[in-house]
Amino acid sequence: MAQSQPRTRVGQPQPQPLADRLDGATAREAVPPAVAAPPTLGSAADLVAPRQRSLWGDAWRRLTRNKLAVIGLVVVVSFIAIAVLAPVLAPYGQSEVVDFRLTRTEPSWTWPLGLDQNGRDIFSRLLYGARVSLVVGVLSQGLVLLIGIPVGALAGYYGGRVDNILMRSVDVVYAIPQLLLVLIFVNLFGPGLVNIFIAIGLVGWVTEARLVRGQFLALREQEYVNAARVSGSTGWQIMLRHLLPNSLTPIIVALTFGIPTAIFTEAALSFVGVGILPPQASWGQMVGDASQPGYIQTDPYMLAAPVAAIGLTMLGFTFLGDGLRDALDVRGND
Amino acid sequence: MLRYIANRVAWFVPTILAIVALTFILLKLTPGTGIIPAGAQQISPDMIRRLEAQYGLDKPLPEQFGIYVANAVRGDFGESFAFRPQTVSSIIARTFPISLRLGAYATVFAVVVGVTLGVLAAVNQNGPLDYVSVTAAILFYSLPNFVMGFLLILLFVVLLPGRGVDLGFNIGGLESWQDWVLPTVALGAAPLATIARYTRSSVVEAIRSDYVRTARAKGLMERRVIVRHVLKNALIPVITLVGPIFAAVGTGSFFVEKVFNIPGMGPFFVDSMTAKDQPMILAVVLIYGIFLAVMNLLVDVLYGLIDPRIRY
């Protein structure tokens, strides 16, 4: 920390070094892109001044400088591409039996990942499985954020009675074992892709709400929040412009774990037999199929492919999430 | 603080009631009563009606709920539909202590190893140790615990031959202390990774804060800075994780207990739902709910004690 001299932040108007130095805490979030130095008409210096960058533009620059984050981004983007392009890339259909006599065939040049217990091409099923996994992972987390953030934010910011009512409701949902609750919802709606991600989302938001609430609870006592309040910001402004940006770190970290958690919940459901409907391929189901006691010793390649796919996706999301976290943390060293 | 605790304890009763009520309503919304075993055939409608009457399933829902709660308060959770004539209480009394013990081991394992890995990773941020522990955490996390269980069995059977274990997965049972090791690792791996990650990001954040800069400027030894200033602040978010983790892990895991053949409570979380064994489902929900409520209260109280910025 030798270079801890106040550096002028990019995106920060130049003539305010004093404010920057005085309060490190505000600097973290008080860099809304709109506050860029107002152009003074007629000043020639403005024409050659460095281009103003937004907080997000800055974050992007830092993100792309981080090798692991770029790897993560590449992995995530490739998986999205694979999921979208599965029908084009896969040599066989997802439930197409290549040869019913060749069940559990080891990988070869013809079938790079082997054939499964029904004689289906594992490689093709893996590509199609990416679809299910990513759809379940991403959409369920979308639902989680949509419900979890507002609930946690209101509870953490307002405290008191609002907090009590909201968090007791969260406790109620939270207190029902998640897998059991998802099972109940699946039982209610029936199995299938859409119902599964809705069920996972409806169950998963409570973790997010608790996390956001804890963060808001700690942050609302900070000086800059008081300052914002004193200077007349409304509750919504404080939550959206001050508390939420400062809570991004744990939200993003939770998200990078939430997506694979959702993927595994789907896997668990498919493993139990109430997940994705059978002919459709899902990584979870493939793991379930391959981890039958008889197969795991004789045909470990069946397990290796889906586990590697899940692990790689996981790595991708985690590296990306970590990178994002560092990139969005304005206090970080470039 | 005492008032806060009393207030929270007073909330237990309505919370638990709401949990049971929500589960009860959701269960009633799902098709079927679960009174007839899935494979059974040729039961006359008359017989079904008699069975339903015997278990009070023909009464109006609010009355059913009232009867259930009244009995549950007296410790009577009824007969299991799937394991008649065993009572739910006798099944729980037999299986819960086993799951609890395994869960305690797994939690201790996860916290000790997870926090250590997380702190090491953060202190050596972007160094080799960081990559090693982050990758290890990700690998632990990315293997579902049933796969982890199978792999551990294979691995240890290969590495530790002569324990009389063949590859038939009859490793199950809990006779000697060694039998607890694999399930503990399989169960604790995912929470370990979660704890390590949160610890890492929390410590990284703390290291960059102004008070750490101040501590260093005062000339404190690095070790002291980390222990007294960084860890003290950074471990607060980690505490919030441990409560729910222990509640989740201590009530038994479906997969780990299935894989290792452990006679715990875990399988009921899934099997009783697939069988729609209502009394059993309500009982495990109740146990989990009470467990979690207590753990969350402990966490919140600790939170308030440790972090003076938080006021209740």
Side-chain angles (χ1 to χ4, degrees), chain A residues 231-246:
Chain A
S231 59
S233 298
T234 62
W236 284 107
Q237 283 171 331
I238 292 175
M239 279 191 272
L240 286 177
R241 305 255 315 248
H242 299 273
L243 295 178
L244 191 59
N246 277 299

PDB file of all heavy atoms in Angstrom, chain A residues 231-246:
ATOM      1  N   SER A 231     -28.788  15.574   2.738  1.00  0.00           N
ATOM      2  CA  SER A 231     -28.876  16.456   1.586  1.00  0.00           C
ATOM      3  C   SER A 231     -30.169  16.240   0.807  1.00  0.00           C
ATOM      4  O   SER A 231     -30.312  16.677  -0.316  1.00  0.00           O
ATOM      5  CB  SER A 231     -27.666  16.276   0.678  1.00  0.00           C
ATOM      6  OG  SER A 231     -27.592  14.951   0.249  1.00  0.00           O
ATOM      7  N   GLY A 232     -31.105  15.519   1.390  1.00  0.00           N
ATOM      8  CA  GLY A 232     -32.451  15.483   0.840  1.00  0.00           C
ATOM      9  C   GLY A 232     -32.763  14.342  -0.098  1.00  0.00           C
ATOM     10  O   GLY A 232     -33.784  14.368  -0.776  1.00  0.00           O
ATOM     11  N   SER A 233     -31.897  13.319  -0.175  1.00  0.00           N
ATOM     12  CA  SER A 233     -32.221  12.184  -1.039  1.00  0.00           C
ATOM     13  C   SER A 233     -33.389  11.414  -0.444  1.00  0.00           C
ATOM     14  O   SER A 233     -33.493  11.267   0.771  1.00  0.00           O
ATOM     15  CB  SER A 233     -31.023  11.242  -1.153  1.00  0.00           C
ATOM     16  OG  SER A 233     -29.943  11.901  -1.729  1.00  0.00           O
ATOM     17  N   THR A 234     -34.245  10.920  -1.319  1.00  0.00           N
ATOM     18  CA  THR A 234     -35.352  10.112  -0.833  1.00  0.00           C
ATOM     19  C   THR A 234     -34.857   8.692  -0.589  1.00  0.00           C
ATOM     20  O   THR A 234     -33.753   8.325  -1.008  1.00  0.00           O
ATOM     21  CB  THR A 234     -36.477  10.056  -1.878  1.00  0.00           C
ATOM     22  OG1 THR A 234     -35.945   9.437  -3.054  1.00  0.00           O
ATOM     23  CG2 THR A 234     -36.992  11.425  -2.205  1.00  0.00           C
ATOM     24  N   GLY A 235     -35.676   7.919   0.091  1.00  0.00           N
ATOM     25  CA  GLY A 235     -35.313   6.539   0.384  1.00  0.00           C
ATOM     26  C   GLY A 235     -34.959   5.759  -0.867  1.00  0.00           C
ATOM     27  O   GLY A 235     -33.986   5.022  -0.907  1.00  0.00           O
ATOM     28  N   TRP A 236     -35.761   5.964  -1.931  1.00  0.00           N
ATOM     29  CA  TRP A 236     -35.503   5.230  -3.168  1.00  0.00           C
ATOM     30  C   TRP A 236     -34.156   5.589  -3.748  1.00  0.00           C
ATOM     31  O   TRP A 236     -33.425   4.735  -4.222  1.00  0.00           O
ATOM     32  CB  TRP A 236     -36.601   5.530  -4.192  1.00  0.00           C
ATOM     33  CG  TRP A 236     -37.865   4.820  -3.895  1.00  0.00           C
ATOM     34  CD1 TRP A 236     -39.016   5.360  -3.416  1.00  0.00           C
ATOM     35  CD2 TRP A 236     -38.104   3.410  -4.007  1.00  0.00           C
ATOM     36  NE1 TRP A 236     -39.953   4.390  -3.234  1.00  0.00           N
ATOM     37  CE2 TRP A 236     -39.432   3.185  -3.585  1.00  0.00           C
ATOM     38  CE3 TRP A 236     -37.313   2.336  -4.416  1.00  0.00           C
ATOM     39  CZ2 TRP A 236     -39.991   1.911  -3.568  1.00  0.00           C
ATOM     40  CZ3 TRP A 236     -37.882   1.070  -4.400  1.00  0.00           C
ATOM     41  CH2 TRP A 236     -39.206   0.868  -3.983  1.00  0.00           C
ATOM     42  N   GLN A 237     -33.860   6.916  -3.717  1.00  0.00           N
ATOM     43  CA  GLN A 237     -32.574   7.352  -4.271  1.00  0.00           C
ATOM     44  C   GLN A 237     -31.424   6.750  -3.493  1.00  0.00           C
ATOM     45  O   GLN A 237     -30.442   6.281  -4.064  1.00  0.00           O
ATOM     46  CB  GLN A 237     -32.483   8.879  -4.237  1.00  0.00           C
ATOM     47  CG  GLN A 237     -33.284   9.537  -5.343  1.00  0.00           C
ATOM     48  CD  GLN A 237     -33.358  11.035  -5.169  1.00  0.00           C
ATOM     49  OE1 GLN A 237     -33.313  11.535  -4.045  1.00  0.00           O
ATOM     50  NE2 GLN A 237     -33.476  11.736  -6.266  1.00  0.00           N
ATOM     51  N   ILE A 238     -31.562   6.742  -2.167  1.00  0.00           N
ATOM     52  CA  ILE A 238     -30.481   6.200  -1.350  1.00  0.00           C
ATOM     53  C   ILE A 238     -30.290   4.716  -1.641  1.00  0.00           C
ATOM     54  O   ILE A 238     -29.173   4.238  -1.826  1.00  0.00           O
ATOM     55  CB  ILE A 238     -30.771   6.431   0.149  1.00  0.00           C
ATOM     56  CG1 ILE A 238     -30.699   7.927   0.459  1.00  0.00           C
ATOM     57  CG2 ILE A 238     -29.780   5.672   1.018  1.00  0.00           C
ATOM     58  CD1 ILE A 238     -31.086   8.282   1.861  1.00  0.00           C
ATOM     59  N   MET A 239     -31.406   4.011  -1.741  1.00  0.00           N
ATOM     60  CA  MET A 239     -31.298   2.575  -1.987  1.00  0.00           C
ATOM     61  C   MET A 239     -30.694   2.280  -3.346  1.00  0.00           C
ATOM     62  O   MET A 239     -29.814   1.448  -3.482  1.00  0.00           O
ATOM     63  CB  MET A 239     -32.682   1.920  -1.872  1.00  0.00           C
ATOM     64  CG  MET A 239     -33.089   1.655  -0.442  1.00  0.00           C
ATOM     65  SD  MET A 239     -34.551   0.626  -0.349  1.00  0.00           S
ATOM     66  CE  MET A 239     -35.812   1.861  -0.417  1.00  0.00           C
ATOM     67  N   LEU A 240     -31.190   2.993  -4.375  1.00  0.00           N
ATOM     68  CA  LEU A 240     -30.762   2.672  -5.739  1.00  0.00           C
ATOM     69  C   LEU A 240     -29.377   3.219  -6.058  1.00  0.00           C
ATOM     70  O   LEU A 240     -28.589   2.564  -6.721  1.00  0.00           O
ATOM     71  CB  LEU A 240     -31.768   3.219  -6.759  1.00  0.00           C
ATOM     72  CG  LEU A 240     -33.079   2.444  -6.857  1.00  0.00           C
ATOM     73  CD1 LEU A 240     -34.016   3.117  -7.839  1.00  0.00           C
ATOM     74  CD2 LEU A 240     -32.802   1.010  -7.297  1.00  0.00           C
ATOM     75  N   ARG A 241     -29.083   4.448  -5.584  1.00  0.00           N
ATOM     76  CA  ARG A 241     -27.830   5.088  -5.995  1.00  0.00           C
ATOM     77  C   ARG A 241     -26.698   4.838  -5.019  1.00  0.00           C
ATOM     78  O   ARG A 241     -25.532   4.959  -5.383  1.00  0.00           O
ATOM     79  CB  ARG A 241     -28.044   6.597  -6.130  1.00  0.00           C
ATOM     80  CG  ARG A 241     -29.187   6.964  -7.060  1.00  0.00           C
ATOM     81  CD  ARG A 241     -28.730   7.490  -8.391  1.00  0.00           C
ATOM     82  NE  ARG A 241     -27.668   8.451  -8.343  1.00  0.00           N
ATOM     83  CZ  ARG A 241     -27.817   9.726  -8.670  1.00  0.00           C
ATOM     84  NH1 ARG A 241     -28.988  10.164  -9.011  1.00  0.00           N
ATOM     85  NH2 ARG A 241     -26.780  10.520  -8.672  1.00  0.00           N
ATOM     86  N   HIS A 242     -27.016   4.549  -3.772  1.00  0.00           N
ATOM     87  CA  HIS A 242     -25.941   4.419  -2.786  1.00  0.00           C
ATOM     88  C   HIS A 242     -25.805   3.010  -2.240  1.00  0.00           C
ATOM     89  O   HIS A 242     -24.735   2.433  -2.269  1.00  0.00           O
ATOM     90  CB  HIS A 242     -26.161   5.404  -1.641  1.00  0.00           C
ATOM     91  CG  HIS A 242     -26.171   6.827  -2.084  1.00  0.00           C
ATOM     92  ND1 HIS A 242     -25.040   7.581  -2.192  1.00  0.00           N
ATOM     93  CD2 HIS A 242     -27.188   7.618  -2.492  1.00  0.00           C
ATOM     94  CE1 HIS A 242     -25.353   8.788  -2.640  1.00  0.00           C
ATOM     95  NE2 HIS A 242     -26.658   8.830  -2.827  1.00  0.00           N
ATOM     96  N   LEU A 243     -26.916   2.471  -1.742  1.00  0.00           N
ATOM     97  CA  LEU A 243     -26.808   1.174  -1.068  1.00  0.00           C
ATOM     98  C   LEU A 243     -26.643   0.035  -2.065  1.00  0.00           C
ATOM     99  O   LEU A 243     -25.804  -0.839  -1.882  1.00  0.00           O
ATOM    100  CB  LEU A 243     -28.031   0.945  -0.172  1.00  0.00           C
ATOM    101  CG  LEU A 243     -28.149   1.919   0.996  1.00  0.00           C
ATOM    102  CD1 LEU A 243     -29.402   1.652   1.794  1.00  0.00           C
ATOM    103  CD2 LEU A 243     -26.930   1.800   1.905  1.00  0.00           C
ATOM    104  N   LEU A 244     -27.438   0.045  -3.126  1.00  0.00           N
ATOM    105  CA  LEU A 244     -27.380  -1.069  -4.072  1.00  0.00           C
ATOM    106  C   LEU A 244     -26.012  -1.189  -4.749  1.00  0.00           C
ATOM    107  O   LEU A 244     -25.439  -2.278  -4.767  1.00  0.00           O
ATOM    108  CB  LEU A 244     -28.514  -0.949  -5.098  1.00  0.00           C
ATOM    109  CG  LEU A 244     -28.721  -2.184  -5.972  1.00  0.00           C
ATOM    110  CD1 LEU A 244     -29.039  -3.402  -5.122  1.00  0.00           C
ATOM    111  CD2 LEU A 244     -29.838  -1.955  -6.975  1.00  0.00           C
ATOM    112  N   PRO A 245     -25.457  -0.082  -5.282  1.00  0.00           N
ATOM    113  CA  PRO A 245     -24.129  -0.219  -5.899  1.00  0.00           C
ATOM    114  C   PRO A 245     -23.088  -0.739  -4.906  1.00  0.00           C
ATOM    115  O   PRO A 245     -22.188  -1.476  -5.293  1.00  0.00           O
ATOM    116  CB  PRO A 245     -23.789   1.209  -6.341  1.00  0.00           C
ATOM    117  CG  PRO A 245     -25.098   1.887  -6.471  1.00  0.00           C
ATOM    118  CD  PRO A 245     -25.982   1.283  -5.436  1.00  0.00           C
ATOM    119  N   ASN A 246     -23.227  -0.365  -3.648  1.00  0.00           N
ATOM    120  CA  ASN A 246     -22.258  -0.833  -2.660  1.00  0.00           C
ATOM    121  C   ASN A 246     -22.506  -2.267  -2.223  1.00  0.00           C
ATOM    122  O   ASN A 246     -21.689  -2.849  -1.532  1.00  0.00           O
ATOM    123  CB  ASN A 246     -22.275   0.082  -1.444  1.00  0.00           C
ATOM    124  CG  ASN A 246     -21.427   1.299  -1.679  1.00  0.00           C
ATOM    125  OD1 ASN A 246     -20.227   1.177  -1.895  1.00  0.00           O
ATOM    126  ND2 ASN A 246     -22.042   2.458  -1.691  1.00  0.00           N
TER     127      ASN A 246
END
